[in-house]
Amino acid sequence: MLKGALLILLPIFGFAVSFYIWNKVHRKKKKLVCIIGKGTCDNVVKSKYSKILGIDNTLMGMTYYFFIFVAAILFFVYPQFVSFSYASLAEKFVTGIAAFASLILISIQLFILKHTCEYCMIANITNIAIFLVILF
């Protein structure tokens, strides 16, 4: 029951953070200011690493969170899907890729850009948390 609740709440939270970044930076064209630390998050969200294959990371994140949320609802309503090995394997694979990509993006912030965006970090940690909930 806790696992199901987390798999519904974490994607909602991740979507909200990603939407906030996208809305502020790309829709309203405003500067994203860090709450903690120095500088702005713009150094991260407007870097060359903010897109993968030409698609903005925030848009990919919102899409990912939406599908994880829908899958969690389906698994909650139809629990027999959880025991279906291909569905479970696909869920682990997709969330594993997202967690791995998040670790790469965290590393880029820390070691290449040498700037961090706490909103991006929260989204990345949310991805890792979703993977861990699915895994265990």
Side-chain angles (χ1 to χ4, degrees):
M1 189 66 152
L2 176 63
K3 182 176 182 176
L6 286 173
L7 289 178
I8 290 171
L9 294 175
L10 286 171
I12 290 171
F13 180 69
F15 186 94
V17 172
S18 293
F19 180 79
Y20 176 77
I21 297 168
W22 174 81
N23 186 50
K24 183 112 175 177
V25 174
H26 299 290
R27 189 168 158 259
K28 293 182 179 177
K29 308 281 187 210
K30 293 189 176 182
K31 194 178 239 187
L32 189 61
V33 179
C34 294
I35 297 169
I36 305 168
K38 58 183 190 244
T40 68
C41 291
D42 277 0
N43 296 329
V44 175
V45 297
K46 291 184 179 176
S47 75
K48 68 179 183 179
Y49 304 102
S50 66
K51 293 182 180 186
I52 298 173
L53 301 173
I55 302 169
D56 189 79
N57 291 344
T58 56
L59 292 176
M60 281 194 287
M62 287 188 290
T63 303
Y64 167 75
Y65 294 126
F66 174 77
F67 283 113
I68 294 299
F69 175 78
V70 168
I73 295 293
L74 285 174
F75 287 157
F76 187 72
V77 173
Y78 301 105
Q80 65 270 23
F81 282 140
V82 175
S83 62
F84 184 60
S85 63
Y86 290 123
S88 180
L89 185 62
E91 187 179 43
K92 288 176 184 164
F93 180 74
V94 169
T95 59
I97 288 173
F100 182 70
S102 293
L103 288 173
I104 291 171
L105 291 172
I106 289 170
S107 297
I108 287 170
Q109 286 184 65
L110 295 174
F111 304 115
I112 296 173
L113 297 174
K114 297 186 186 332
H115 290 279
T116 56
C117 168
E118 63 247 16
Y119 303 106
C120 301
M121 287 291 201
I122 289 169
N124 289 322
I125 290 167
T126 301
N127 293 340
I128 295 165
I130 290 170
F131 175 64
L132 292 174
V133 168
I134 297 278
L135 197 60
F136 300 107

